[in-house]
Amino acid sequence: MKSKNRAFLKWAGGKYSLTEQINQRLPEGKRLIEPFVGAGSVFLNSDFDEYLLNDINPDLIEMYKIIKRKPKQFIIDAKHYFQDKFNDEATYYQLRKEFNLSQDPYQRSLLFLYMNRHGYNGLCRYNKSGGFNVPFGRYKKPYFPEKELLFFSEKSKSATFTCKPYHKLFHYLRDDDVLYCDPPYVPLSKSASFTSYASAGFSLDDQANLARLARESKCNVLLSNHDTTLTQELYRDALCDKIQVSRTISSHSTTRQPVGELFALFSAQSNKLNK
């Protein structure tokens, strides 16, 4: 059995546990495009010749570019913040403040990784002013992902990283591309909405627009989302199937109940017939 590769980031909604199911549903192609790359678990566990990896979060993409360009120096500098003296609540909030005030991409990248591993539940969340606002996580000894960083840097030699609105990625398509779209999910309830991953949220209009772009795409598009009445309607022209998965974004283990995960494949051939 082929070994799996973990992302170096902790990530709410990450796809590490579902990479086998996703790969089974991804059509063949030369280049994989991910408009919502997140922590990159699908990228790290798939086998395409090229990758175009995008995210709306500039801190995330800038860090990926730096790690691709100079991984060894980044690892040396990032490891500095994983000493015991930095695993302290007051220190965390001071460094979070420095991050929010900094304009230096390299320093922000180092602190982004530090806060990802020391902050609460691996969340990535910003306030309306664009300030990172995840609280301290209180972990005994946060893990420094050196092995995962090295693998990411090696794999990223075949990747191009961009920071654009998701719909812009549909302008760059080639016939042999495959898109995997993992947008912020449709909330299961009014209290379950989690759209503050970047300073701009992902609205229901965005959900509908993404479905339209997938339907009209010149290449194959696979989408993931919650299995709800809304997504079933949005993806009605796609080949859909679902599985039961355990969600881990809840802070209480007793409330982490299995939910339906919907996969929708819009095939390029069907898209042409529907036009």
Side-chain angles (χ1 to χ4, degrees):
M1 182 178 177
K2 185 178 179 181
S3 62
K4 292 176 65 175
N5 301 290
R6 285 194 177 275
F8 64 85
L9 294 171
K10 298 166 68 176
W11 207 253
K15 289 296 181 287
Y16 176 78
S17 64
L18 294 177
T19 54
E20 295 94 343
Q21 290 90 333
I22 292 167
N23 278 316
Q24 289 169 9
R25 293 165 173 81
L26 280 174
E28 291 185 1
K30 183 178 180 183
R31 181 174 65 163
L32 180 66
I33 299 178
E34 292 195 62
F36 311 89
V37 68
S41 288
V42 175
F43 156 62
L44 293 168
N45 291 284
S46 58
D47 189 20
F48 288 80
D49 293 339
E50 301 173 55
Y51 296 88
L52 177 56
L53 305 176
N54 181 81
D55 204 279
I56 196 64
N57 186 326
D59 291 317
L60 181 72
I61 293 301
E62 193 60 43
M63 180 180 60
Y64 285 166
K65 290 179 178 179
I66 288 169
I67 292 168
K68 177 182 178 179
R69 192 167 65 246
K70 46 183 179 181
K72 292 182 180 178
Q73 187 61 52
F74 181 87
I75 287 171
I76 291 171
D77 294 337
K79 189 180 288 188
H80 168 76
Y81 291 102
F82 283 72
Q83 300 176 68
D84 290 343
K85 65 180 181 179
F86 292 102
N87 189 26
D88 169 80
E89 186 168 6
T91 304
Y92 173 87
Y93 287 119
Q94 177 59 39
L95 290 173
R96 191 182 75 174
K97 181 179 179 181
E98 289 181 19
F99 172 87
N100 286 329
L101 292 174
S102 175
Q103 299 295 318
D104 177 65
Y106 189 70
Q107 182 64 12
R108 285 179 69 91
S109 294
L110 298 174
L111 293 177
F112 188 85
L113 177 57
Y114 162 79
M115 293 186 301
N116 175 262
R117 287 282 169 178
H118 291 75
Y120 179 74
N121 223 21
L123 292 177
C124 180
R125 191 182 66 192
Y126 298 79
N127 60 29
K128 291 182 179 180
S129 302
F132 193 88
N133 66 353
V134 175
F136 184 57
R138 302 182 186 279
Y139 299 109
K140 186 174 181 180
K141 188 171 179 62
Y143 172 68
F144 182 69
E146 182 168 356
K147 180 183 72 171
E148 292 83 356
L149 282 162
L150 288 170
F151 184 85
F152 184 96
S153 69
E154 184 64 28
K155 179 87 173 175
S156 67
K157 291 177 180 178
S158 60
T160 299
F161 297 101
T162 60
C163 183
K164 301 177 183 293
Y166 69 92
H167 56 86
K168 297 287 187 182
L169 275 293
F170 287 83
H171 298 166
Y172 302 101
L173 300 183
R174 307 188 298 237
D175 290 342
D176 58 355
D177 285 336
V178 176
L179 273 86
Y180 171 61
C181 295
D182 180 31
Y185 278 16
V186 170
L188 292 171
S189 67
K190 289 182 179 180
S191 63
S193 179
F194 177 74
T195 57
S196 302
Y197 154 71
S199 56
F202 199 81
S203 68
L204 295 183
D205 285 342
D206 285 315
Q207 299 283 358
N209 188 49
L210 177 60
R212 178 187 61 81
L213 290 169
R215 189 181 306 114
E216 298 173 355
S217 173
K218 65 187 290 186
C219 65
N220 296 311
V221 182
L222 178 68
L223 291 96
S224 298
N225 215 315
H226 282 144
D227 180 27
T228 67
T229 302
L230 174 62
T231 54
Q232 290 172 14
E233 173 61 22
L234 290 176
Y235 306 154
R236 63 188 181 278
D237 297 324
L239 177 64
C240 294
D241 65 315
K242 63 182 178 181
I243 59 174
Q244 291 293 307
V245 300
S246 296
R247 282 280 172 264
T248 57
I249 192 169
S250 170
S251 61
H252 302 290
S253 60
T254 56
T255 62
R256 294 174 183 175
Q257 301 296 323
V259 297
E261 178 96 3
L262 185 66
F263 293 108
L265 177 62
F266 290 89
S267 71
Q269 191 61 37
S270 296
N271 293 348
K272 291 175 184 176
L273 293 174
N274 290 331
K275 287 183 179 179

